[in-house]
Amino acid sequence: MTWERFGYLCRKAAVTCGEREVVSDCLARIEQEAVCGLYGAEMATNSWPRRILDKIGALANREAAVAALTLYGRLKLTRPADELMKFKGITSYLLAIALVYFVVVAIYQLKVAPTFVNAFTNLEVQVPALLVYYRDYWGWLVALVAAVLMAALLVGHRLQQMFQFQAGIEQSPVFKYLLFSNTRVSYLRLIELLQAPLHMYGGPAPGDTAIARHLLAIKTTPMDLATEIEALIAGELRQLLECGQAQMKALTVIVAGLLAASVFIFLFSAYAPLFMLGDAV
């Protein structure tokens, strides 16, 4: 309920802030009221709602700050819980599959493979090449699977944080190097839209972007600015979800392919010696 609390603070501050009261003090006063808890828990310091409120409170122009609060108070913003559950489900699935794989590989490598090698040695039969390969290089194969899986889990976790509106994500290495380009672009557009009312009333401008030009043009018309910002945010959230799901599907396919190839090598190296031992006996 982070955005619900944010909206309540904006709506109440916009109409109750005294003429001589500092906006930041007004927001702090309202947030200390017990009734504020009805709209959700306290906002995390690293969340975008908290950061936006801090920026509004820091505006030098009091009238501009109240105008920004009024516009934010009219927006219907919510955290998309369904999207969070989807990404949690995918990452949990990948983690469960990988854990089973690592356990099976460890048992085979530590218990089964040495038994086969000793049996071939005792029978003076040449050890199968695939068994030798698997025995000598299994660590590299497991490391490759683990690296891809770790990348998928990091991406999934970062996508969850995006839909929780945590601030500063765009500075992380995962965002810069592991997320697809369209996912990064969509998220940056979403953050620009969330800060649009702040930018329009004295906050630091994002530059000459298509979104900024569009909203400034709307501001000069009778169109309702809050409605348009809300519609743009909803559309960008859908776009970000589609991009995130596409990336997670791609990573899932890669992980599944590596696991399938590894399991094939594992099974072949496990059962081929059985037949060869039967022939030797």
Side-chain angles (χ1 to χ4, degrees), residues 127-240:
V127 180
L130 188 58
L131 180 58
V132 174
Y133 171 83
Y134 196 83
R135 180 194 64 187
D136 294 340
Y137 298 103
W138 73 281
W140 291 102
L141 184 59
V142 171
L144 177 61
V145 173
V148 176
L149 175 66
M150 182 59 66
L153 293 176
L154 287 173
V155 168
H157 179 65
R158 192 60 72 192
L159 288 171
Q160 290 180 44
Q161 290 178 325
M162 287 181 180
F163 284 99
Q164 291 172 336
F165 298 101
Q166 291 189 18
I169 291 175
E170 64 277 10
Q171 304 299 327
S172 68
V174 174
F175 182 90
K176 294 179 180 179
Y177 304 114
L178 293 182
L179 291 182
F180 289 170
S181 175
N182 56 353
T183 305
R184 296 196 304 270
V185 170
S186 180
Y187 177 73
L188 292 175
R189 282 201 301 259
L190 176 61
I191 296 306
E192 181 182 349
L193 286 166
L194 289 174
Q195 297 182 92
L198 177 64
H199 295 153
M200 301 185 75
Y201 292 102
D208 186 24
T209 66
I211 292 175
R213 292 193 300 270
H214 176 61
L215 294 179
L216 285 174
I218 289 176
K219 191 177 180 181
T220 61
T221 70
M223 296 178 67
D224 183 53
L225 187 59
T227 300
E228 301 310 313
I229 293 176
E230 189 176 314
L232 288 171
I233 290 175
E236 203 58 58
L237 274 173
R238 288 193 297 270
Q239 178 67 24
L240 180 60

Side-chain angles (χ1 to χ4, degrees), residues 14-199:
V15 298
T16 64
C17 190
E19 293 184 1
R20 296 185 177 181
E21 187 176 19
V22 178
V23 173
S24 59
D25 293 341
C26 176
L27 289 169
R29 170 178 56 79
I30 297 172
E31 199 159 12
Q32 289 175 358
E33 297 175 357
V35 70
C36 195
L38 297 175
Y39 294 86
E42 292 186 12
M43 291 172 283
T45 55
N46 65 334
S47 68
W48 273 111
R50 178 78 271 164
R51 181 171 290 188
I52 291 172
L53 285 177
D54 290 343
K55 289 182 177 181
I56 293 175
L59 290 177
N61 189 320
R62 183 182 179 282
E63 292 182 357
V66 173
L69 288 170
T70 302
L71 183 53
Y72 273 117
R74 296 176 58 200
L75 298 178
K76 296 179 182 179
L77 302 172
T78 58
R79 189 176 74 175
D82 293 341
E83 284 73 7
L84 286 173
M85 293 305 298
K86 290 178 182 178
F87 291 120
K88 287 181 179 178
I90 294 175
T91 53
S92 297
Y93 169 77
L94 289 174
L95 185 60
I97 294 297
L99 286 176
V100 173
Y101 167 76
F102 291 143
V103 170
V104 172
V105 168
I107 293 174
Y108 175 77
Q109 183 63 28
L110 298 176
K111 299 293 185 180
V112 180
T115 303
F116 282 142
V117 173
N118 291 334
F120 278 108
T121 302
N122 294 334
L123 293 172
E124 297 182 351
V125 177
Q126 183 178 1
V127 180
L130 188 58
L131 180 58
V132 174
Y133 171 83
Y134 196 83
R135 180 194 64 187
D136 294 340
Y137 298 103
W138 73 281
W140 291 102
L141 184 59
V142 171
L144 177 61
V145 173
V148 176
L149 175 66
M150 182 59 66
L153 293 176
L154 287 173
V155 168
H157 179 65
R158 192 60 72 192
L159 288 171
Q160 290 180 44
Q161 290 178 325
M162 287 181 180
F163 284 99
Q164 291 172 336
F165 298 101
Q166 291 189 18
I169 291 175
E170 64 277 10
Q171 304 299 327
S172 68
V174 174
F175 182 90
K176 294 179 180 179
Y177 304 114
L178 293 182
L179 291 182
F180 289 170
S181 175
N182 56 353
T183 305
R184 296 196 304 270
V185 170
S186 180
Y187 177 73
L188 292 175
R189 282 201 301 259
L190 176 61
I191 296 306
E192 181 182 349
L193 286 166
L194 289 174
Q195 297 182 92
L198 177 64
H199 295 153

